Amino acid sequence: MPDLMEKVVSLAKRRGFVFQSSEIYGGASSVWDYGPLGVELRRNVADAWWSAMVHARDDVEGLDAGILMHPRVWEASGHLSGFTDPLVECRACKKRWRADQAPEGGCAAKASLPKGTDKSCELGEPRLFNLMFKTFMGPVEEEAAMVYLRPETAQGAYVNFLNVQQTARQRIPFGIAQLGKAFRNEITPGNFIFRTREFEQAEMQFFVKPGDDDEWWEYWRDQRMGWHRELGIAPERLRLHAHGPGELAHYAKTAVDIEYEFPFGWQELEGIHNRTDFDLERHQEYSGKRLAYIDPASGDRYLPYVVETAMGVGRAALVVLVDGYREEEVAGQSRVVLGLHPALAPVKAAVFPLMKKLGLPEIAERLIAELRRERIPAMYDQAGSIGRRYRRQDEAGTPWCVTIDGQTKDDDTATIRDRDSLEQVRVGIDHVVGWLRERL
Ligand code: ATP
């Protein structure tokens, strides 16, 4: 269904969800800017994650570590030596791919190569390419000042493990959650916001007693799958993929991906990894600082194991867009709908005066002002037929449209129309905020 992807990309641009970065300069490859609706959607995905992972629990604490870290962090973590992808290059046209994503038997540009070029279009031997972006700290551009843009947020949690544990007075088992940008110089970014070089991660590191790790890994796998389902993602388009021995990252004992069936195939949405004590052990060795946890009850001293949940926020937003997109016929007219969960919808309610007379716009404006005071993201629209106004909101994923009509003047009620069921109910205008709050 590559067609669906094109439709989602086009809707995303048309309605201001996602724009290509630096578009007026021809675009910066694989970087995307989130527009007015997109930034709300992405923040709502991040907030839903934070609320489930931090606010709803007493055993997970939040953290916001810097993007730039001491360069030794990346030596200890193994990223400097091991965060590489095998890169293959087409000998004829010089195009590059990650080895597992290269087209079989050469690239498609073969036919369009200039005359006289070696048309064999053979792929060369894979060579390793480090995915970390480098830059310099301070004014001198020399090797000693080289730092890296973090390729994952997790390391911030490991180096702060004891800071968080002691200041928050947590006991094992407990976790550290973090939302933040990560950067990877991907060889083949693409599929819109699926794989980009700059992206936001939602990661949580859960520190457990060695021996309890397998059980916690299973627990977090189930929790995270449940979270995606609760957001309304179709269960038949979600599945688990356990990593075989050849797929495991250098730090992982066991790993499972939550995969989603994108229009371009089943792909990872989130990873749940048992990272053992690999990271803490390495930071202890490279920093020379003891990172062991002392159990206050038993006095036991040990390095905890870590179960990690790692999701890309932009990738999750893409899942929400693709999964929610549908086209349907309503009363002989076609409509495009984004069936977003109300918690994720950028605009929660739209307010329309049915006509621009009889004082209806004034009543609608008073209602929209109240919604803003109550901090319920809302939109006012009085342009065009009521049908067109509904269509505009359906495409943006707005769950409810509130219409002020002639009857409002008589009995102070408004019509609330549901995006999915199309059901209309009349609600007292003073109760609209409460009605919406009950459903958000
Ligand atoms: P892949 O094998 O696809 O490169 P990964 O297994 O290296 O990904 P992780 O390191 O487990 O990915 O990252 C955790 C999550 O971060 C992924 O599940 C994904 O949602 C997100 N993510 C990773 N790389 C990117 C990227 N380049 N663009 C957008 N999101 C990403």
Side-chain angles (χ1 to χ4, degrees):
M1 270 198 297
D3 208 24
L4 170 60
M5 200 59 199
E6 275 163 33
K7 286 176 175 169
V8 168
V9 173
S10 141
L11 171 69
K13 169 149 198 215
R14 191 170 72 246
R15 294 310 310 269
F17 279 93
V18 179
F19 308 121
Q20 195 180 11
S21 161
S22 322
E23 199 179 352
I24 59 168
Y25 287 96
S29 101
S30 94
V31 188
W32 301 91
D33 297 342
Y34 288 78
L37 293 182
V39 65
E40 295 289 338
L41 173 66
R42 211 184 73 180
R43 288 177 72 133
N44 291 342
V45 170
D47 286 351
W49 181 85
W50 190 264
S51 131
M53 299 298 273
V54 182
H55 292 166
R57 310 183 60 101
D58 57 11
D59 57 355
V60 177
E61 303 287 345
L63 176 74
D64 188 9
I67 287 172
L68 301 175
M69 302 182 76
H70 194 290
R72 291 272 284 166
V73 166
W74 307 111
E75 279 177 51
S77 69
H79 283 82
L80 206 50
S81 58
F83 193 54
T84 48
D85 268 348
L87 173 148
V88 289
E89 191 175 80
C90 170
R91 289 201 179 103
C93 69
K94 305 291 177 209
K95 263 193 162 181
R96 291 168 167 188
W97 294 268
R98 204 168 88 175
D100 60 344
Q101 292 166 358
E104 273 177 39
C107 80
K110 202 169 180 170
S112 59
L113 287 174
K115 260 195 172 158
T117 321
D118 169 11
K119 290 207 176 183
S120 59
C121 226
E122 260 176 53
L123 300 179
E125 282 303 306
R127 57 196 164 88
L128 291 178
F129 172 78
N130 194 296
L131 301 182
M132 281 200 294
F133 278 93
K134 302 183 187 75
T135 187
F136 299 95
M137 186 82 100
V140 189
E141 296 195 1
E142 60 185 19
E143 186 86 2
M146 198 183 283
V147 292
Y148 303 89
L149 303 189
R150 66 181 176 198
E152 62 176 24
T153 62
Q155 299 302 324
Y158 303 140
V159 299
N160 278 299
F161 158 62
L162 285 181
N163 283 341
V164 174
Q165 184 261 317
Q166 286 161 7
T167 53
R169 299 169 57 236
Q170 280 286 358
R171 290 186 182 191
I172 278 187
F174 80 98
I176 302 181
Q178 220 183 157
L179 276 166
K181 285 277 172 99
F183 301 81
R184 296 182 186 178
N185 203 0
E186 300 276 5
I187 299 167
T188 24
N191 283 324
F192 192 37
I193 52 173
F194 174 80
R195 188 181 301 283
T196 51
R197 294 193 169 113
E198 170 183 347
F199 55 99
E200 187 180 15
Q201 283 193 314
E203 294 196 310
M204 194 278 305
Q205 316 300 317
F206 202 74
F207 300 88
V208 305
K209 193 168 186 200
D212 294 347
D213 48 316
D214 291 333
E215 210 175 302
W216 278 109
W217 178 76
E218 282 169 21
Y219 168 84
W220 281 110
R221 176 196 63 197
D222 298 346
Q223 285 288 313
R224 296 304 306 145
M225 187 56 127
W227 184 83
H228 292 286
R229 289 194 177 138
E230 268 170 38
L231 287 185
I233 307 303
E236 68 277 12
R237 287 196 283 272
L238 288 168
R239 73 175 187 196
L240 293 173
H241 164 76
H243 285 208
E247 286 174 282
L248 284 175
H250 62 279
Y251 49 73
K253 171 177 159 189
T254 41
V256 64
D257 292 339
I258 296 177
E259 292 189 334
Y260 178 77
E261 191 178 19
F262 288 92
F264 44 89
W266 286 96
Q267 295 283 343
E268 173 177 345
L269 162 61
E270 173 159 10
I272 294 95
H273 314 121
N274 181 345
R275 295 179 71 134
T276 69
D277 59 358
F278 175 86
D279 299 273
L280 290 181
E281 169 92 55
R282 296 273 288 201
H283 286 305
Q284 185 163 264
E285 182 190 335
Y286 279 68
S287 68
K289 300 279 181 333
R290 298 185 82 162
L291 296 178
Y293 168 79
I294 303 167
D295 186 315
S298 65
D300 285 354
R301 176 189 290 266
Y302 61 86
L303 272 188
Y305 269 32
V306 173
V307 174
E308 171 188 64
T309 71
M311 175 184 87
V313 178
R315 199 173 283 189
L318 178 61
V319 166
V320 163
L321 285 175
V322 168
D323 203 72
Y325 184 98
R326 56 179 206 268
E327 291 170 4
E328 54 192 33
E329 289 278 313
V330 174
Q333 289 206 319
S334 61
R335 67 167 190 163
V336 170
V337 189
L338 276 186
L340 306 179
H341 188 292
L344 302 183
V347 177
K348 310 299 180 196
V351 180
F352 311 146
L354 186 62
M355 294 169 285
K356 287 187 207 160
K357 50 186 185 187
L358 304 174
L360 302 187
E362 289 71 21
I363 303 176
E365 276 161 20
R366 276 201 298 278
L367 177 60
I368 195 98
E370 190 190 351
L371 292 171
R372 294 211 173 102
R373 258 196 320 276
E374 292 291 326
R375 302 292 189 268
I376 296 178
M379 194 181 269
Y380 178 82
D381 190 358
Q382 61 170 28
S385 72
I386 198 81
R388 296 225 2 224
R389 285 183 259 172
Y390 281 147
R391 300 292 166 270
R392 279 201 282 272
Q393 297 304 325
D394 290 343
E395 261 195 354
T398 307
W400 299 289
C401 293
V402 186
T403 304
I404 307 298
D405 54 20
Q407 196 182 326
T408 313
K409 295 207 64 138
D410 300 333
D411 64 4
D412 287 327
T413 61
T415 302
I416 305 185
R417 174 254 200 192
D418 184 280
R419 176 197 65 203
D420 300 322
S421 68
L422 301 174
E423 206 180 301
Q424 305 207 2
V425 288
R426 284 205 82 89
V427 174
I429 201 139
D430 291 344
H431 296 114
V432 170
V433 165
W435 190 95
L436 291 170
R437 283 238 181 275
E438 272 172 30
R439 288 158 180 83
L440 283 171

